[in-house]
Amino acid sequence: MLGAVVPALERDGLALVLIATSDRRVIDTNAVLARVSGFPEAMVRERGLALLACPESDPRTLVRLDAAIAAGSDLRDEICWARADGMRFWFGFTVIPLGAVAGAGPAVLLMGRDITERRRLEREEATIKAVLAEVFRNLDVAAAVILPNDCILVANPAYAALTGYAMAELPGFSVDRLTAPASLDDARARRAEQRRTGERYRMPLQLRRKDGSAIPVLINAVAVEHEGTRFRVVTLHPEAEQGTAKTSREFVVGQVGFIRLDPVRRAYAERWQQVESRLMMLAESVIKRRLEAGDVYARTQDGGFAIWFARGSEVENADRIAAITREIRIRLVGELGGDGMPTVTGHAAAVPAEGIDAPPDPETLASTLMQRLAER
């Protein structure tokens, strides 16, 4: 009965099952259901859909399916069934009433396909969204998602605290109202450029708070495309106001960072010499990849690394150090195993830099600056 359309539907992965309404008997089926379930077509015809039921099959869905077949009515649903090898799979289906079928009486057509992979991807996406939402809410960095019309879609508590507004006040709020007049033209120009190019940017900005005060911040903005719409994800990093001009020989707070691997060295004890070369090479590859133009790094005498950042605020560079140490530990876990892997520590700090040109050469960074840091 299904011979005329079976080839095209099978190529599309659509299972077709013709079922009698009177006794739920399978009158005919194409090869797809047999291929998906692993049961021969003859067995499906002989034993019906009950052959596929398993303890994970929702009883309520089974009742709805049986009632739809018996009544010859429409139904769209999903159900967990069992393959011949015992593995579970999800089947999305539609029941279509056909009325009387020649030689078989009243019948329905069950059409469906294996949706196991789709459900897995949906669960993963839902998990990722939930985790990202939780991370976003708990970030100690002020962050917000901005709509294409430059209004806030959502902001986190740190963003609300920095701006002085309540969380409920921020959705729909124009970012122009959070920008002091002195920064407004530059901010609009950078936003317009990002809308055209999609490239990330950072810039200093005078943030206007709810109480009317203005504070200096560094804004980082990244364009994110979703379903044809370009959003901006922005973070705001307060900058301490500088009372006096800085010369080329002075470092701002947070420009020097260092990464300590001595917890790893202690953990490996006598085995340290066996893994040191490979471990240091892995750590160094992470640092090299994370550096920006003008940054300088060097190995220190205690077996760690020192990094001089050419630009960025204290908070921003502390975030960069944290990201580098996390990635180093991930690489070490992948290379050496995760059982008992100690933490890799990293810090950003201010270091007295009198008499040292910026940027420092690696030797100066590893010796003079690290010695001054130790003396503090």
Side-chain angles (χ1 to χ4, degrees):
M1 295 182 183
L2 299 176
V5 293
V6 163
L9 294 173
E10 286 187 350
R11 285 194 298 271
D12 191 46
L14 190 65
L16 298 175
V17 187
L18 189 63
I19 306 172
T21 61
S22 58
D23 55 7
R24 323 302 191 266
R25 174 174 47 89
V26 172
I27 302 169
D28 200 359
T29 179
N30 69 351
V32 175
L33 187 59
R35 185 167 65 244
V36 169
S37 68
F39 291 107
E41 291 179 50
M43 187 176 295
V44 175
R45 291 191 185 94
E46 177 185 348
R47 298 179 55 181
L49 299 181
L51 175 67
L52 306 171
C54 63
E56 286 79 8
S57 301
D58 185 353
R60 294 167 298 181
T61 306
L62 291 172
V63 169
R64 287 194 298 270
L65 176 58
D66 187 73
I69 295 173
S73 59
D74 296 288
L75 177 66
R76 183 186 297 270
D77 215 326
E78 300 175 355
I79 191 168
C80 179
W81 274 340
R83 294 188 172 94
D85 61 6
M87 296 293 292
R88 284 10 180 191
F89 72 101
W90 279 89
F91 191 76
F93 65 87
T94 300
V95 176
I96 302 174
L98 298 179
V101 175
V108 298
L109 179 65
L110 183 141
M111 299 191 309
R113 64 179 72 246
D114 185 351
I115 60 169
T116 307
E117 180 64 12
R118 190 203 76 189
R119 282 180 62 92
R120 184 187 67 80
L121 293 175
E122 287 176 350
R123 287 197 306 273
E124 286 186 357
E125 184 176 359
T127 300
I128 290 170
K129 287 181 178 179
V131 170
L132 289 178
E134 190 66 19
V135 169
F136 182 79
R137 284 192 296 268
N138 289 283
L139 275 176
D140 56 5
V141 174
V145 179
I146 312 299
L147 294 162
N149 64 356
D150 292 330
C151 291
I152 296 172
L153 174 64
V154 63
N156 70 351
Y159 191 97
L162 185 62
T163 60
Y165 287 89
M167 288 283 291
E169 296 178 286
L170 289 171
F173 205 85
S174 171
V175 294
D176 278 350
R177 295 176 60 186
L178 295 171
T179 309
S183 300
L184 193 55
D185 289 343
D186 287 345
R188 286 174 173 171
R190 296 300 296 271
R191 296 199 301 261
E193 181 181 1
Q194 188 177 60
R195 278 193 289 270
R196 290 193 304 270
T197 66
E199 295 182 358
R200 66 185 301 166
Y201 71 85
R202 69 173 70 176
M203 64 173 289
L205 180 83
Q206 289 290 319
L207 178 71
R208 183 165 60 185
R209 305 182 75 249
K210 184 176 183 178
D211 62 8
S213 63
I215 58 173
V217 300
L218 183 70
I219 180 172
N220 287 277
V222 179
V224 177
E225 295 279 350
H226 180 67
E227 296 182 350
T229 300
R230 178 172 288 170
F231 299 87
R232 285 186 298 124
V233 179
V234 303
T235 56
L236 302 178
H237 304 271
E239 289 188 327
E241 292 195 68
Q242 305 299 316
T244 58
K246 298 288 182 180
T247 71
S248 63
R249 289 178 177 270
E250 295 177 311
F251 296 101
V252 299
V253 171
Q255 249 181 331
V256 175
F258 58 97
I259 297 172
R260 303 184 66 90
L261 300 178
D262 43 316
V264 180
R265 186 167 57 251
R266 288 194 299 269
Y268 278 90
E270 66 277 1
R271 292 189 296 138
W272 170 250
Q273 291 185 345
Q274 301 171 19
V275 299
E276 178 181 8
S277 177
R278 176 63 178 163
L279 184 152
M280 295 296 285
M281 183 177 68
L282 288 173
E284 195 164 349
S285 69
V286 172
I287 294 171
K288 286 181 178 179
R289 189 173 65 257
R290 288 276 189 168
L291 294 186
E292 297 181 356
D295 293 345
V296 180
Y297 85 97
R299 291 192 182 188
T300 60
Q301 294 179 353
D302 63 358
F305 294 91
I307 303 174
W308 180 82
F309 295 115
R311 62 188 62 83
S313 67
E314 177 183 8
V315 173
E316 185 177 19
N317 288 330
D319 289 344
R320 290 180 64 189
I321 282 288
I324 291 171
T325 56
R326 282 196 300 270
E327 185 172 347
I328 288 174
R329 188 176 189 279
I330 290 171
R331 290 293 302 276
L332 299 186
V333 168
E335 181 73 15
L336 304 173
D339 294 338
M341 176 64 68
T343 300
V344 178
T345 61
H347 306 278
V351 179
E354 292 81 0
I356 298 176
D357 289 326
D361 57 68
E363 182 180 351
T364 301
L365 178 59
S367 57
T368 308
L369 286 176
M370 288 300 97
Q371 181 180 351
R372 290 183 181 183
L373 183 63
E375 293 171 349
R376 296 189 62 200

